[in-house]
Amino acid sequence: MCRIIALEKNSRRRFIVKSPKRIVCASILLLGLALTAGVVGCSGASGDPNKIKIISSFPRTGSAKGQSDTIVNGIRMALEEVDYKVGDFTIEYLDRDDATAGEGKWTPERETANADEAVKDPDVMVYIGPYNSGAAKVSIPILNQANVLMISPAVTWPGMTKPGLGDEGEPDIYRPSGRINFTRVVPADDIQGSLSAKWAASMGVKKVYILDDNEVYGKGIATLFRESCKDYGIEVLGSQQSIDMKQNEFRSLMSSIKSSGPPDLIYFGGTSQTKAGQIAKDMVAAGMGDVKLMLPDGCYEQAFIQSAGADLFDTLKVYVTFGGLPPDMLEGNGKEFVENYRKKYGRTPEGYAIYGYEAAKVALMAIEKAGKKDRVAILEACLNIKDFPGALGVWSFDENGDTTNKVMSGSTIENGEFKFVARLDEL
Amino acid sequence: MYACLLFADLTAGTWQKYFQASLDGLSMGALFALIALGYTMVYGIIELINFAHGDLFMLGTFFALSLLLAFDLTGLGAAHTSTTSIVFACALMILTVPLFTAIVNFSLDRMVYKPLRHASRLAPLVSAIGCSFVFMNLGLFWNSQLSEPRLITADRVQEVIPQPDGSTQIVTTDGNTVSNVRKVEAGWLTYETVPAASDRSFPSLLPNRNLIEGSGLRFTIKDSVVIGVTVPIMILLTMFVKLTPMGKAMRATAQDPTAARLMGINVDRVIGATFMIGGALGGVASVIYSLSVTTIGYQMGFINGLYAFTAAVLGGIGNIPGAVLGGLLIGLIRSYGSVTIGETWTSALVFALLIIILVFKPTGLLGARTREKV
């Protein structure tokens, strides 16, 4: 029996090979089919009326991957809780990358491509992301013109939403349509900058030296920190210096800071991807192991500890601020999330995972409140969300699309892990 | 008037600042010089700018890290760091990494550049750029294959669960489950995967102890290793080129390959030896760089290679003492630039100075030959 089938198969193969005409016929047929399918696909461009797509854009390659993995896990958990269904709609989730392996961090090209994809696909109603403030600068205006709702779990540059706190013309330049489409579930840097200065002052710091990485986020938060230093009687030594993040080491810079009278604390506005680890190393190499180093939330990830090497923190004291509470300090809904996350993935999530979860929950609520598949309706429903029972307690969106939640925490590093020190908004 | 101001500035104690900058600059410059030698020697012999050399240096650092991980010499998890294991680790790296880079550089010449020896000059140059990208991607892949050990100290382990397949799983005090751990003196080691494109921390084997404590200056054990290894190597290299028969053959080939061949010199062997020596010097630089800067990444070959190449051009490409001089100068310029006009402008300053020097002395500082260059 088997042999017969085998023979038959063989003969068929030979038959096809021997008659190229059939191949041509078959290809034409296939091509025709493909074309018809394409036409059908196009005519149904507005798609299934009951399907809504949520797209996210994070650096999925490069050293921010550890952080973005847990954010995406958070989003998936929120969607799984409702079984990818809201009212009559089924949700489809698209996880997009705005980084390239070559750069190791986000690139304007990738972020633009993701935003374009969201705009062109009529099923996409919500865009969760991006992670970097520089990336948000690129994608907000594109998505704004198409009224796509953006919910960022990590972008903290105040200029995105708050009039008068960013650069000139911000935030209106992001709103060509006149509507607000960018919201965030994380407290912005104006709060972080001033609370960082307050924290430094409470540690008895009198003199600081300020460095930044020359990016939107890093330079922004370092400037906000510098401006707040006056309010707390901290002296800023020298002028704020930008580093060139393409360089590999900053020994001379650190030596010159040291020899012009070492400060009590060095503040570096930057991320783990823009050489924060090397700054920490070179401080020790230049003999400033006794000087404190303070970093913003862009370094609140395991990748920072990895890049600096865990044993470095036996010598150097590092203080990292973060909008919200570390996973272990959360209560209520937040605690429940962390426990579920641990059960599912076997380890504690990174700091921003909870905001990924929260952003997805907000998206689902906006879709539910709007009740129809319409970008403007969903956008308006989202901005009107009040008293949201979030992971960090109840909060609302204010008139700019910012969260009213102002919880800020400070951590240090011990045994290769972040360790909670204080709640900065309660100092 | 200006001199007065400068003098006042110096007496105010800032001489220390500049002296420190010189020390830092020389230490970094010595590394650039080591890499620059690889560029300049190859150029001297076959007039090819081997753009893959910077990335070869990068591969060397990954080889060094692999050695440390494979032989468990990272020093992580040991209750106290023993000097013998550090010395052994350094000796192992300094012996095998240059061997590795020498072989890679030699094979690169045999496989890629040799078939193009008589092609137009642009062909090997473009292949060199191509090889640079190939190496860079190899580094990217290599990085993703090396897992990062992390120590979980014994006091943070709540429960140890032996698994049926012979591995061990632990539960930490904060409730995380970690599988595939290995017992070491100070606790448990776990191996984590690292995103391919991220910078890696190289184990800091050498202590940061200041050797001239009390002088207000800083010259650490790391710096002394940099100087202590690079200076003798450069002296040896000069002696090799000046005194040995192979060195003589190299100089002859550099002067005129055809005439050298007529004199009975096996030019291919000489070229092969040049690539091996250049590669080995790059390998030494990899080890010293990893030990002193302690961060490696697949992209670091580009910027370091660029500085080294600039050093070679600055000193007069093809000229061995010139490359050393150029390397040291670039180290110093970067360092002084960082102290005076600001960190952001250091690389701009280096290249501005390169342009100025080339305008007034197109052959570079020590270059004398006026043959047509690429």
Side-chain angles (χ1 to χ4, degrees):
Chain A
M1 185 67 181
C2 282
R3 194 175 288 169
I4 295 172
I5 292 172
L7 268 175
E8 199 181 33
K9 265 188 189 162
N10 259 339
S11 59
R12 197 180 296 155
R13 200 174 297 142
R14 211 175 295 140
F15 182 60
I16 290 175
V17 173
K18 271 188 179 168
S19 50
K21 250 187 212 164
R22 290 217 168 193
I23 298 179
V24 173
C25 284
S27 345
I28 289 173
L29 199 72
L30 272 176
L31 199 71
L33 269 175
L35 275 176
T36 345
V39 169
V40 170
C42 282
S43 63
S46 54
D48 183 350
N50 288 327
K51 188 204 261 171
I52 286 180
K53 286 182 187 161
I54 296 178
I55 192 168
S56 78
S57 170
F58 296 110
R60 309 288 288 122
T61 37
S63 79
K65 182 174 186 298
Q67 180 82 265
S68 68
D69 271 349
T70 69
I71 297 177
V72 167
N73 287 345
I75 295 174
R76 287 193 199 281
M77 277 173 68
L79 298 176
E80 277 161 18
E81 270 174 25
V82 296
D83 204 17
Y84 291 87
K85 275 191 183 68
V86 186
D88 301 333
F89 303 110
T90 22
I91 307 289
E92 195 182 320
Y93 171 53
L94 307 169
D95 169 17
R96 292 288 180 266
D97 187 357
D98 69 357
T100 62
E103 283 285 323
K105 61 186 211 40
W106 76 275
T107 64
E109 294 79 17
R110 293 297 319 144
E111 180 64 23
T112 309
N114 293 345
D116 282 342
E117 184 188 350
V119 167
K120 281 176 191 147
D121 186 340
D123 287 341
V124 171
M125 296 287 132
V126 186
Y127 187 91
I128 300 181
Y131 179 72
N132 302 79
S133 298
K137 227 174 176 154
V138 175
S139 55
I140 301 175
I142 300 172
L143 292 159
N144 183 276
Q145 281 161 346
N147 296 315
V148 178
L149 167 65
M150 290 176 80
I151 310 169
S152 173
V155 166
T156 50
W157 168 241
M160 306 286 139
T161 52
K162 305 190 179 192
L165 284 173
D167 292 334
E168 215 182 312
E170 283 183 329
D172 292 338
I173 45 167
Y174 304 121
R175 297 165 181 167
S177 74
R179 273 201 189 81
I180 296 176
N181 76 317
F182 179 78
T183 63
R184 53 182 149 202
V185 293
V186 53
D189 285 343
D190 52 330
I191 304 166
Q192 189 173 192
S194 77
L195 285 179
S196 302
K198 194 177 179 184
W199 192 25
S202 79
M203 287 188 275
V205 169
K206 296 270 179 288
K207 294 180 287 180
V208 295
Y209 200 94
I210 302 174
L211 298 169
D212 67 66
D213 64 357
N214 224 356
E215 287 222 334
V216 175
Y217 163 78
K219 192 164 188 154
I221 189 148
T223 310
L224 289 164
F225 177 81
R226 194 190 67 216
E227 284 163 359
S228 304
C229 279
K230 289 182 220 117
D231 305 343
Y232 297 101
I234 302 173
E235 186 196 347
V236 178
L237 301 177
S239 55
Q240 183 179 332
Q241 275 221 47
S242 298
I243 61 156
D244 174 2
M245 61 174 163
K246 293 221 160 60
Q247 300 297 325
N248 290 313
E249 47 88 44
F250 310 100
R251 264 286 295 282
S252 326
L253 172 66
M254 290 304 166
S255 293
S256 79
I257 293 174
K258 189 184 177 227
S259 45
S260 43
D264 301 325
L265 179 141
I266 291 179
Y267 189 89
F268 174 63
T271 66
S272 341
Q273 287 75 44
T274 57
K275 301 280 155 104
Q278 194 59 33
I279 293 276
K281 282 185 164 182
D282 288 333
M283 277 177 72
V284 176
M288 288 199 289
D290 51 346
V291 176
K292 300 178 175 77
L293 172 65
M294 191 177 272
L295 300 161
D297 60 331
C299 301
Y300 189 73
E301 54 177 344
Q302 206 61 37
F304 168 69
I305 302 178
Q306 249 174 15
S307 68
D311 46 351
L312 184 82
F313 303 106
D314 300 341
T315 325
L316 185 74
K317 269 294 197 189
V318 175
Y319 299 90
V320 188
T321 53
F322 171 62
L325 289 172
D328 286 331
M329 299 301 294
L330 290 166
E331 281 165 8
N333 289 345
K335 193 176 177 184
E336 202 176 307
F337 164 75
V338 174
E339 273 165 12
N340 288 339
Y341 189 100
R342 249 189 219 140
K343 238 177 263 166
K344 192 154 188 228
Y345 299 101
R347 61 182 306 166
T348 312
E350 298 249 14
Y352 277 113
I354 183 91
Y355 290 118
Y357 178 74
E358 193 115 316
K361 294 277 261 190
V362 167
L364 294 173
M365 189 177 218
I367 294 167
E368 192 182 355
K369 279 176 79 176
K372 53 181 171 182
K373 189 179 170 180
D374 176 57
R375 283 178 178 173
V376 176
I378 291 174
L379 194 64
E380 275 163 5
C382 180
L383 286 166
N384 285 326
I385 287 178
K386 293 274 174 288
D387 303 325
F388 182 84
L392 293 162
V394 177
W395 57 268
S396 311
F397 277 124
D398 67 7
E399 70 281 7
N400 297 321
D402 270 312
T403 168
T404 51
N405 163 28
K406 291 188 168 51
V407 181
M408 187 71 58
S409 65
S411 303
T412 183
I413 298 170
E414 260 172 38
N415 294 321
E417 275 168 19
F418 287 102
K419 190 167 170 280
F420 175 74
V421 180
R423 238 185 104 157
L424 305 183
D425 53 328
E426 287 174 354
L427 272 179
Chain B
M1 163 77 181
Y2 194 75
C4 271
L5 274 178
L6 193 72
F7 186 69
D9 194 36
L10 285 178
T11 47
T14 37
W15 67 270
Q16 252 183 9
K17 193 158 136 183
Y18 291 97
F19 204 78
Q20 181 65 52
S22 317
L23 283 181
D24 292 343
L26 283 178
S27 155
M28 214 46 217
L31 278 172
F32 293 142
L34 264 188
I35 312 173
L37 285 171
Y39 280 99
T40 222
M41 285 178 71
V42 166
Y43 187 86
I45 300 275
I46 54 170
E47 301 206 349
L48 160 74
I49 296 167
N50 182 10
F51 277 113
H53 192 69
D55 299 286
L56 178 77
F57 156 77
M58 177 272 298
L59 288 184
T61 63
F62 277 110
F63 188 76
L65 181 64
S66 310
L67 278 178
L68 291 186
L69 289 174
F71 290 93
D72 198 18
L73 290 166
T74 53
L76 195 67
H80 45 82
T81 42
S82 70
T83 323
T84 18
S85 79
I86 290 176
V87 170
F88 176 67
C90 293
L92 180 73
M93 286 193 291
I94 209 83
L95 290 176
T96 47
V97 176
L99 194 67
F100 166 77
T101 47
I103 292 169
V104 173
N105 213 24
F106 177 76
S107 340
L108 181 72
D109 172 51
R110 282 295 131 109
M111 287 194 289
V112 183
Y113 301 142
K114 199 177 169 215
L116 298 172
R117 204 79 87 207
H118 302 290
S120 79
R121 210 175 263 174
L122 274 180
L125 189 75
V126 173
S127 323
I129 296 171
C131 291
S132 153
F133 280 106
V134 170
F135 280 2
M136 215 193 268
N137 281 288
L138 274 177
L140 186 66
F141 177 71
W142 200 338
N143 191 19
S144 67
Q145 296 304 304
L146 295 175
S147 53
E148 176 88 10
R150 186 164 71 94
L151 179 71
I152 301 171
T153 47
D155 55 308
R156 287 187 304 139
V157 177
Q158 200 170 40
E159 201 185 347
V160 180
I161 315 161
Q163 297 292 301
D165 58 351
S167 67
T168 320
Q169 196 180 55
I170 56 168
V171 179
T172 60
T173 44
D174 48 7
N176 287 348
T177 318
V178 188
S179 37
N180 285 323
V181 291
R182 195 165 63 82
K183 182 92 184 93
V184 285
E185 273 174 84
W188 298 83
L189 274 190
T190 165
Y191 292 86
E192 291 173 333
T193 52
V194 173
S198 62
D199 282 346
R200 288 297 284 266
S201 183
F202 196 87
S204 49
L205 296 174
L206 301 178
N208 260 314
R209 197 153 53 80
N210 192 356
L211 292 173
I212 41 174
E213 202 78 60
S215 62
L217 293 173
R218 195 173 166 81
F219 189 78
T220 61
I221 293 182
K222 283 180 184 175
D223 298 317
S224 68
V225 168
V226 174
I227 303 291
V229 172
T230 49
V231 172
I233 280 190
M234 286 167 199
I235 293 173
L236 275 177
L237 183 72
T238 317
M239 281 165 62
F240 175 82
V241 174
K242 285 255 187 300
L243 303 177
T244 62
M246 181 50 109
K248 208 172 188 179
M250 276 180 179
R251 281 181 291 141
T253 315
Q255 239 170 32
D256 191 334
T258 320
R261 208 185 291 270
L262 287 173
M263 294 299 130
I265 292 172
N266 185 344
V267 173
D268 272 333
R269 226 180 103 226
V270 171
I271 294 172
T274 311
F275 269 91
M276 284 189 95
I277 294 171
L281 291 172
V284 174
S286 308
V287 176
I288 304 298
Y289 180 95
S290 312
L291 287 173
S292 71
V293 177
T294 67
T295 301
I296 63 174
Y298 80 101
Q299 278 176 321
M300 64 182 237
F302 174 73
I303 188 87
N304 285 306
L306 191 66
Y307 278 138
F309 170 62
T310 312
V313 175
L314 192 65
I317 195 152
N319 185 308
I320 290 176
V324 176
L325 180 71
L328 294 178
L329 264 180
I330 284 181
L332 286 174
I333 296 166
R334 282 190 62 216
S335 199
Y336 291 142
S338 175
V339 172
T340 52
I341 58 165
E343 181 69 25
T344 338
W345 299 101
T346 49
S347 42
L349 189 69
V350 168
F351 294 108
L353 214 90
L354 174 79
I355 293 169
I356 293 171
I357 288 179
L358 288 187
V359 165
F360 291 104
K361 203 160 184 320
T363 49
L365 289 174
L366 301 182
R369 300 191 307 149
T370 46
R371 265 201 287 164
E372 184 194 338
K373 303 277 153 68
V374 176

